Amino acid sequence: ERETAEQWREIYNSKMQDVPTAAYMTITECQKAVEKGTLYFVYEEDTVIGIGSVDTDSIGAVASVVPGKGMDVVGALSKKIVGDMICLDVASVNDKAMRLYEKMGFQITEERSNWYQIK
């Protein structure tokens, strides 16, 4: 049995709740991403080890659901990229993810700020 978009959204929202700048994914946003074909589950044999979003040359919304499998999740998502360069979006406050990505050879090339706070 394969996982559903709702399960992807639940994993995303659960894993991102501790990242101060991460956004909560709504059902509508998830449905749009499913229609676009950008959401992935990453498996090791028959077990889901993580999730991610891939869009042409960029990876986002990476979450490992099995401790110690982050590198495997990013590696699998990287195989979906078209071209030689991979852009990987990560919140600068997510130190654990930043360390992993640097260990994998990613370099900071641009810092973007498009987070909004509603008062």
Side-chain angles (χ1 to χ4, degrees), residues 12-13 16 19-25 29 115:
Y12 173 85
N13 288 338
M16 298 299 169
V19 179
T21 57
Y24 180 84
M25 180 176 272
E29 291 166 328
W115 303 103

Side-chain angles (χ1 to χ4, degrees), residues 57-114:
D57 67 347
S58 65
I59 298 173
V62 176
S64 172
V65 296
V66 175
K69 292 294 183 178
M71 193 175 289
D72 295 331
V73 172
V74 174
L77 295 170
S78 296
K79 293 177 183 175
K80 296 291 183 185
I81 297 295
V82 177
D84 297 333
M85 184 183 297
I86 300 172
C87 296
L88 178 62
D89 289 335
V90 60
S92 61
V93 295
N94 192 344
D95 294 329
K96 187 175 179 182
M98 295 283 286
R99 284 192 304 274
L100 172 68
Y101 302 147
E102 288 174 6
K103 184 177 180 180
M104 293 181 73
F106 286 92
Q107 299 174 351
I108 298 172
T109 58
E110 176 183 7
E111 187 168 332
R112 297 184 284 180
S113 178
N114 61 349

